[in-house]
Amino acid sequence: MLNVTTAAQIILDLIQPLDPHQDGESIDLNHARGRILAVPVISNLDFPHWDNSAMDGYAVRYQDVQGCDEQHPAILEIIETIPAGSQPQKTLEAGNAARIFTGAMMPIGADTVVMQEVCQATGDRVYVKSAPQLGQFVRKQAAYYQAGNTLLSPGIMINPAELAVLAAAQCTQVQVYRRPQVAIFSTGDELVEPDQSLQPGQLVDSNRYALLAGLQQLGVEVEVLGIVPDQPEALRKTMEKAVTSADMVISSGGVSVGDYDYVAEVMTALGGKIQMEAVAIKPGKPLTVAEFVGKLGNSSRSCLYFGLPGNPVSALVTFWRFVQPAIKKLSGLSGGWNPNFVKAISMSVLRSNGQRESYLWGNLYLSGGKYEFRLAPGGDSSGNLINLAGTNGLAMIPVGTREVAVGEDVLVLMLSWI
């Protein structure tokens, strides 16, 4: 049985990220939010495009105002007004000033902006009553970015800030990675759809909906293959279809050691190389991971298969801890794959048997600048899906630790829903 850290590293090492050339596509800027940039973006524009004012005031020559003060103001002739979006028409000579507004282009000859609060304008004259520093309130051309350099690096997610940069660079078509293809299904004779009438002994297939939501949140394309009964031939057909069409396959159930648990057996029969069948984690011990390599469908490629436990909480915990990082790496993200753990003060007594790395769910919140964690009420059974609702963190209890007392530090895996 692998420890959690080793299992997580094995999984990440198995992932081959999408290829920027074979797996890239050009999309319109309007549809780029949440996508992963596949190639560097290089602009032929400087940022700022030209020297411009960072303040409403007056563009001046520093040498004309360097010694002024309220008792001895510099008196300058206003030769033009420059609003944002217009090009200056005149060159500043000695004793000249130009009325200028935030973002407006600096006129030739000016090297400094004096803010309007320290000036008094009368007719075509302005009295400057406070000496500025040289270059004050001037944004110099190319101070933020010089044309020809890399503007945005590949492997980043395009979020609002990146969209703004791309738009400013007039990059209306963006080369991104295609969305990873993930196939999911659930196994078990006891499972039924949510709209079916429950018979004694049956359970609604809630795992598929939870996993589908988690995958959609990660921005992947999902093929839902439904419920597969505990029959080797039915499982073989579904699994074969999944591994030949998807980059990754996720099933839940059928990975324990029961008489009707066939997932590992069918994986092997189809040529999958099993990398792990158990991890020292609670909940989620019976995690099975296999790699399929070679001729899959119409191409030679690899597919990673995750056989998650059937218990609802176990399925989600293993998804968050192991599958989510793998998808992030697969998608082309250059880093930040691993789960986000933060140190928090436990506001509840947290207990474990100490034999496996244990995850207890609850609420993580900031209080006085520090994170605090409070255990969800109602017990921590891996079958108790109900009290998982509304939680946003998983407190991690290391192997060998049986109790975390109130007030002690604990590492908490943050669950992000946005």
Side-chain angles (χ1 to χ4, degrees):
M1 186 163 54
L2 296 172
N3 68 56
V4 171
T5 301
T6 300
Q9 190 58 56
I10 288 173
I11 290 168
L12 283 179
D13 289 344
L14 288 169
I15 292 292
Q16 296 298 318
L18 297 178
D19 183 89
H21 303 293
Q22 297 181 7
D23 299 308
E25 59 184 16
S26 180
I27 63 171
D28 185 89
L29 179 62
N30 290 320
H31 302 110
R33 186 190 68 80
R35 303 298 295 272
I36 310 300
L37 191 65
V39 298
V41 173
I42 298 172
S43 177
N44 60 2
L45 296 173
D46 289 328
F47 288 86
H49 308 322
W50 43 73
D51 291 359
N52 71 89
S53 176
M55 185 70 65
D56 290 350
Y58 295 87
V60 300
R61 301 183 337 144
Y62 174 71
Q63 64 194 77
D64 290 339
V65 297
Q66 58 182 325
C68 68
D69 57 29
E70 193 160 357
Q71 285 71 41
H72 305 90
I75 305 172
L76 307 175
E77 180 186 2
I78 303 171
I79 62 171
E80 72 171 321
T81 297
I82 311 170
S86 66
Q87 184 173 355
Q89 301 299 307
K90 297 182 180 181
T91 299
L92 259 65
E93 306 288 352
N96 292 162
R99 180 74 166 111
I100 197 167
F101 295 90
T102 302
M105 190 174 181
M106 291 288 290
I108 296 173
D111 57 15
T112 301
V113 172
V114 183
M115 62 179 180
Q116 62 188 17
E117 287 82 354
V118 297
C119 299
Q120 180 180 343
T122 303
D124 63 353
R125 295 288 187 271
V126 61
Y127 294 76
V128 180
K129 300 179 181 180
S130 178
Q133 294 181 348
L134 176 63
Q136 182 172 281
F137 300 127
V138 177
R139 303 181 184 123
K140 300 295 289 184
Q141 181 174 349
Y144 307 152
Y145 167 81
Q146 189 170 30
N149 294 325
T150 298
L151 181 63
L152 293 176
S153 298
I156 63 170
M157 180 175 288
I158 301 171
N159 285 314
E162 291 74 23
L163 281 170
V165 170
L166 290 166
Q170 298 184 312
C171 184
T172 59
Q173 290 291 311
V174 187
Q175 192 71 14
V176 298
Y177 288 101
R178 66 170 175 83
R179 296 184 186 275
Q181 306 291 311
V182 180
I184 64 170
F185 61 92
S186 303
T187 68
D189 291 337
E190 75 279 14
L191 298 179
V192 297
E193 299 288 351
D195 58 355
Q196 290 181 249
S197 178
L198 278 176
Q199 301 301 314
Q202 292 183 329
L203 296 171
V204 172
D205 179 19
S206 60
N207 286 355
R208 178 164 32 116
Y209 289 86
L211 295 173
L212 175 61
L215 291 168
Q216 290 172 334
Q217 187 181 43
L218 291 168
V220 305
E221 295 287 345
V222 185
E223 182 180 14
V224 179
L225 300 178
I227 299 171
V228 181
D230 290 322
Q231 300 169 12
E233 182 58 23
L235 182 59
R236 186 194 67 79
K237 288 181 179 179
T238 302
M239 191 181 294
E240 186 172 31
K241 178 182 179 181
V243 298
T244 55
S245 65
D247 301 301
M248 183 182 292
V249 178
I250 304 171
S251 66
S252 65
V255 292
S256 193
V257 291
D259 292 343
Y260 299 98
D261 294 326
Y262 299 115
V263 168
E265 175 186 324
V266 175
M267 279 179 178
T268 303
L270 289 175
K273 182 179 179 181
I274 294 180
Q275 302 292 328
M276 64 187 72
E277 291 186 83
V279 180
I281 188 172
K282 182 181 180 182
K285 174 185 171 183
L287 171 67
T288 301
V289 178
E291 184 183 28
F292 290 81
V293 180
K295 186 70 173 178
L296 300 175
N298 297 321
S299 61
S300 294
R301 56 184 183 83
S302 64
C303 176
L304 199 61
Y305 188 112
F306 288 90
L308 306 185
N311 280 334
V313 179
S314 300
L316 275 172
V317 168
T318 50
F319 175 83
W320 287 320
R321 186 62 183 86
F322 302 109
V323 182
Q324 189 166 261
I327 291 175
K328 289 181 178 180
K329 184 178 179 182
L330 173 65
S331 69
L333 277 172
S334 58
W337 310 318
N338 288 313
N340 184 18
F341 284 92
V342 297
K343 183 184 290 187
I345 300 169
S346 181
M347 305 305 291
S348 307
V349 176
L350 308 177
R351 294 188 175 90
S352 166
N353 61 17
Q355 297 176 5
R356 289 181 275 162
E357 187 169 298
S358 298
Y359 289 79
L360 306 178
W361 48 100
N363 290 99
L364 182 71
Y365 50 92
L366 275 171
S367 177
K370 295 182 179 180
Y371 282 109
E372 295 180 355
F373 176 83
R374 191 176 300 277
L375 194 65
D380 56 5
S381 166
S382 62
N384 184 7
L385 178 64
I386 302 305
N387 73 339
L388 189 64
T391 59
N392 65 353
L394 299 173
M396 188 274 287
I397 315 302
V399 174
T401 298
R402 292 181 175 273
E403 181 174 301
V404 176
V406 173
E408 291 185 342
D409 289 340
V410 63
L411 287 178
V412 180
L413 191 162
M414 298 181 73
L415 305 177
S416 174
W417 308 120
I418 299 176

